[in-house]
Amino acid sequence: MGQRKKILITWGLGYIGSHTATVFIEAGYDVIIVDNLSNSHESSLEAIKKITWKTPKFYELDLRNYWDLDTVFEKHAKDIALVIHFAAKKAVWESCQDPFLYYDHNIFWTMNLLKVMNKHWVNQIIFSSSATVYDAENLLPPFSETDKTKTTNPYWTTKLVIENLLRDMVMHKWFSAIALRYFNPIWAHSSHLLWENPKWVPTNLLPFLLKVAKWEIEKLSIFWNDYDTEDGTCIRDYIHVMDVADAHFSAAKYLFDRIEINETSEAYKADPTFEICNIWTWYWKSVLEMVDIVKTVTDKEIPYEIVERRAGDVAVSLANPIKAKQLLDRESKRTVVQWVEDARLYINK
Ligand code: UD1
């Protein structure tokens, strides 16, 4: 990857961001974290330090503030090889209540980031997209990257808009981007110093289930049991968060292999490339199966009730992993055994 050794991570103190930061630091990169702490905790910085024995540079700033961001790039751009962009609001229901909020954050944040990157000649980005952009109701799983996409809410729309924005940047600027479409990251770093720790009541299944197991929440509401699946509850692809973090590293290696450094000028160019990759595992499970897993490993009752469908849910959401294997040479490594161990450690914290 040449001389540049810095990786800038937006929302690098969040759930996936902080786990990804440890992977890059342990591989010898200097990590710069930009986070506004709106859904993360500064204590994650301490945890990253304990895990890696290194202190990432941390800037508390909101990506909507162009000039703050510009100051960070003024300082570091010469050494930044890559930006990994996680910052995004992600609750479907909230995006329906307030579409403007989602455009104002997800799109505006990304626009500012790309503008600053462009100004300072930082031209490689990995974008955290989502597997929810597939037209799941009309496709046969597993979905491939070339399959039709569809959006039914502002949150998903922002993901697709950003993917298209990146595609256009690559087409018309000297720029490279990979959008990783992943499914449901779960569990935690093996040290258990980092884990999913949202500031608000979680809306995703796993953090919610774990809070029920810890008796912090009374019961789980299962969003309907009459879907066209074996036990009637929805099936999802759950992936260990460290496998998602590793996937970012594989994507970075792919981009770094395309870098060409012009020693005589400041130019630091990469072959323009735009790729979308599903990040996937073989361990799909239904909601009831996840309840059983958590029940078994924690040895705790998981009270639940069946309630109405949640808007936007589809019966089955699974993706085809072939492209990531071929292009990025990556596969998910953590097995259900690792999941079980992680859940047990988390519950006994
Ligand atoms: C959800 C979002 C998706 C977002 C992703 C990551 C929707 C429709 N989809 O995906 O846009 O990118 O999270 O943040 O909101 N479940 C329950 N009870 C709960 C929580 C979840 O039964 O309290 C069920 C859901 O119906 C679903 C499964 O558990 O079948 C997984 O839900 P979740 O963890 O929210 O992930 P996704 O629905 O895949």
Side-chain angles (χ1 to χ4, degrees):
M1 68 160 285
Q3 292 90 347
R4 297 192 182 197
K5 281 302 240 182
K6 292 186 181 172
I7 311 290
L8 186 140
I9 304 183
T10 70
W11 278 22
L13 296 182
Y15 176 43
I16 310 175
S18 57
H19 287 78
T20 303
T22 65
V23 169
F24 279 86
I25 296 170
E26 281 173 347
Y29 294 94
D30 292 332
V31 164
I32 302 165
I33 289 174
V34 169
D35 199 311
N36 64 358
L37 299 178
S38 65
N39 196 27
S40 58
H41 305 264
E42 205 165 343
S43 56
S44 298
L45 195 62
E46 215 37 57
I48 294 172
K49 262 191 242 171
K50 281 195 186 140
I51 292 166
T52 62
W53 296 82
K54 285 227 176 117
T55 311
K57 268 238 163 306
F58 167 53
Y59 294 92
E60 183 180 347
L61 67 84
D62 195 300
L63 293 177
R64 278 182 300 170
N65 190 332
Y66 176 89
W67 292 111
D68 282 359
L69 196 57
D70 189 55
T71 309
V72 174
F73 275 73
E74 283 287 346
K75 222 184 232 158
H76 300 285
K78 267 195 327 8
D79 303 312
I80 297 177
L82 167 77
V83 170
I84 305 180
H85 183 33
F86 290 108
K89 292 181 88 56
K90 61 164 190 147
V92 170
W93 64 269
E94 187 186 39
S95 79
C96 295
Q97 275 182 1
D98 193 349
F100 189 67
L101 182 78
Y102 271 64
Y103 282 83
D104 191 31
H105 284 75
N106 295 2
I107 305 291
F108 194 20
W109 278 341
T110 309
M111 291 290 291
N112 269 347
L113 183 64
L114 292 175
K115 272 196 262 174
V116 173
M117 286 174 68
N118 192 45
K119 175 179 168 194
H120 293 277
W121 282 91
V122 175
N123 45 23
Q124 303 202 89
I125 188 166
I126 298 173
F127 170 57
S128 170
S129 190
S130 171
T132 51
V133 298
Y134 289 111
D135 183 7
E137 270 167 351
N138 297 306
L139 292 169
L140 268 187
F143 316 136
S144 296
E145 291 82 352
T146 47
D147 278 346
K148 206 163 155 276
T149 56
K150 181 178 173 183
T151 164
T152 53
N153 61 74
Y155 163 58
W156 298 354
T157 309
T158 62
K159 290 288 179 195
L160 285 174
V161 167
I162 294 168
E163 282 190 2
N164 285 323
L165 178 58
L166 292 175
R167 187 182 281 111
D168 283 340
M169 290 284 291
V170 171
M171 218 180 305
H172 303 292
K173 293 267 176 196
W174 202 283
F175 205 80
S176 285
I178 296 189
L180 299 181
R181 287 181 182 164
Y182 34 84
F183 287 74
N184 307 60
I186 56 171
W187 307 132
H189 190 270
S190 55
S191 65
H192 284 264
L193 293 167
L194 286 174
W195 69 97
E196 186 163 15
N197 189 14
K199 276 197 166 156
W200 319 107
V201 178
T203 53
N204 292 116
L205 179 64
L206 243 290
F208 204 98
L209 256 179
L210 292 175
K211 282 194 184 291
V212 176
K214 284 186 126 183
W215 296 336
E216 289 171 17
I217 294 179
E218 193 194 337
K219 62 180 167 201
L220 170 75
S221 297
I222 294 184
F223 301 131
W224 206 235
N225 63 352
D226 199 16
Y227 282 97
D228 189 13
T229 61
E230 211 162 293
D231 65 21
T233 61
C234 298
I235 291 177
R236 294 285 178 276
D237 180 81
Y238 294 92
I239 182 167
H240 196 289
V241 66
M242 289 308 291
D243 275 325
V244 176
D246 287 346
H248 286 80
F249 192 71
S250 305
K253 277 203 300 201
Y254 175 82
L255 289 176
F256 295 157
D257 284 348
R258 272 144 200 83
I259 281 176
E260 159 207 324
I261 304 166
N262 185 341
E263 302 289 352
T264 56
S265 75
E266 285 290 287
Y268 187 83
K269 292 183 169 178
D271 269 351
T273 180
F274 177 72
E275 298 289 351
I276 294 176
C277 267
N278 290 332
I279 299 303
W280 191 83
T281 123
W282 288 106
Y283 310 122
W284 63 82
K285 295 274 175 274
S286 72
V287 177
L288 281 173
E289 283 173 324
M290 290 310 283
V291 171
D292 263 352
I293 288 179
V294 173
K295 195 168 147 185
T296 309
V297 299
T298 60
D299 204 18
K300 301 243 161 57
E301 273 310 305
I302 306 288
Y304 67 81
E305 62 176 344
I306 307 292
V307 299
E308 286 298 296
R309 286 182 181 213
R310 180 176 67 175
D313 275 342
V314 290
V316 181
S317 187
L318 305 175
N320 186 328
I322 290 169
K323 184 171 173 185
K325 171 79 185 131
Q326 288 172 343
L327 194 79
L328 309 179
D329 191 26
R330 64 86 46 198
E331 280 173 305
S332 301
K333 290 193 289 233
R334 278 97 185 157
T335 62
V336 175
V337 176
Q338 174 80 50
W339 288 18
V340 168
E341 190 52 27
D342 275 358
R344 195 171 285 140
L345 280 168
Y346 175 83
I347 289 298
N348 295 323
K349 262 169 84 74

